[in-house]
Structure formats: structure tokens, C-alpha cells
């Protein structure tokens, strides 16, 4: 299942709950998401089916005898938790994951087709500013894509 794309600004309440954008919730077929640590100090959120696919591929290709593989599994698979939407459409983000992503009141939810990202608003904008040169270089690598 593909999720919509988009950037949504929302707030995290004092209990660690974030009201999820209606447009994103409407596309979900289930009332749960899997939340885990992402790269770049954000959280990654997957539907259960997409998580099963993603985590299965990671585990299948990782060797427990490779230190880098173990590190990836410990950082991505181990902290993953299933969270349910409450009746108001909020997700309660576990404290350990909130701490990892430095989530505070102002947050950004990014729809990236197969998964979602949840960012601290300030960290996200700092990331965008600091990665501008890398972004331009990365887009140059896509020069073989034609419209």
C-alpha cells in the first residue's frame, strides 16, 4: 500500500501524543503503525505490512557475524514498537523514541510513499539547510531520469 506524500506540521502534546494528519490516517487500512528509530535523528513509521516487508529484508540479508549488520539491526529493528491510534486520531510515541528524535512540541510528519518520517521541527529545518549542497550533488546523480 502506498501512503500519500506531503509535509505536515503538527504538535506533540505533554503526554507524547501527536495528532496525525487526517489525509494520512484516511489512507491507512489499519489502526496501528510500527515506529522505530530512523536515520538522521528522525523516527520512521511503517504500516504493519510494510514493516514486515522492510524488517524481513533487513534480517534476511544481515549476518549476525558482521558487526555493521548487528549495529543496523540493533538501531532499526530492536527499538521498533507498535502504536495504535486513539479515538481522537493521535499516536502516543514511546518515550525512548521521543528522546532519540528529540521530539518536542513542534513536529513535522513527512509522507514518503512507503513509510513516514517524524521529525523535531527545528532539527528538520537544520537538516534541510545543512544538506543543501549534498542534495544538489545527489540530484545530479539522477541525470539519467527523463520525463
Amino acid at each position: 500500500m502506498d501512503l500519500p506524500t506531503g509535509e505536515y506540521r503538527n504538535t506533540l502534546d505533554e503526554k507524547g501524543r501527536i495528532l496525525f494528519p487526517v489525509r494520512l490516517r484516511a489512507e491507512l487500512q489499519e489502526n496501528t503503525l510500527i515506529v522505530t528509530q530512523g536515520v538522521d535523528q528522525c523516527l520512521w513509521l511503517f504500516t504493519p505490512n510494510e514493516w514486515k516487508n522492510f524488517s524481513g529484508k533487513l534480517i534476511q540479508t544481515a549476518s549476525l557475524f558482521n558487526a555493521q549488520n548487528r549495529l543496523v539491526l540493533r538501531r532499526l529493528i530492536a527499538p521498533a514498537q507498535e502504536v495504535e491510534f486513539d479515538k481522537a486520531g493521535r499516536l502516543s510515541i514511546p518515550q525512548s523514541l521521543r528522546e532519540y528524535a528529540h521530539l518536542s512540541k513542534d513536529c513535522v510528519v513527512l509522507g514518503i510513499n512507503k513509510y513516514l518520517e517524524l521529525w523535531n521541527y527545528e532539527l528538520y529545518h537544520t537538516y534541510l539547510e545543512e544538506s543543501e549542497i549534498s542534495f544538489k550533488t545527489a540530484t545530479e546523480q539522477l541525470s539519467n531520469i527523463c520525463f
Side-chain angles (χ1 to χ4, degrees):
M1 175 182 81
D2 290 341
L3 296 170
T5 59
E7 182 177 317
Y8 307 88
R9 190 166 174 188
N10 283 347
T11 57
L12 193 74
D13 69 16
E14 64 281 347
K15 294 181 180 179
R17 300 173 301 192
I18 186 164
L19 181 63
F20 230 63
V22 174
R23 182 165 181 253
L24 292 176
R25 271 195 339 260
E27 295 292 322
L28 297 173
Q29 297 172 350
E30 299 180 47
N31 198 37
T32 61
L33 289 175
I34 310 302
V35 183
T36 194
Q37 293 178 1
V39 178
D40 302 316
Q41 289 190 309
C42 69
L43 299 180
W44 288 347
L45 296 89
F46 295 88
T47 63
N49 285 338
E50 213 43 64
W51 175 252
K52 184 177 180 181
N53 183 37
F54 173 74
S55 63
K57 286 179 182 178
L58 271 179
I59 291 169
Q60 191 174 31
T61 59
S63 169
L64 297 180
F65 298 106
N66 180 291
Q68 289 182 332
N69 288 183
R70 289 191 310 271
L71 176 62
V72 169
L73 294 176
R74 289 174 184 148
R75 296 290 297 271
L76 298 179
I77 303 296
Q81 296 186 46
E82 184 175 298
V83 293
E84 288 187 28
F85 287 98
D86 66 13
K87 292 178 182 171
R90 298 173 299 200
L91 278 180
S92 183
I93 307 299
Q95 183 175 348
S96 61
L97 294 173
R98 288 193 316 262
E99 290 172 359
Y100 167 79
H102 304 284
L103 295 182
S104 58
K105 185 176 181 181
D106 294 322
C107 297
V108 175
V109 177
L110 301 175
I112 309 181
N113 198 262
K114 295 288 183 187
Y115 73 103
L116 305 167
E117 289 185 350
L118 178 58
W119 285 81
N120 168 296
Y121 179 80
E122 294 297 326
L123 283 178
Y124 178 62
H125 283 280
T126 300
Y127 167 80
L128 289 178
E129 290 170 4
E130 291 176 353
S131 64
E132 186 62 28
I133 293 172
S134 295
F135 173 66
K136 288 179 182 178
T137 302
T139 59
E140 288 292 322
Q141 300 299 316
L142 302 173
S143 63
N144 61 341
I145 296 175
C146 299
F147 288 95

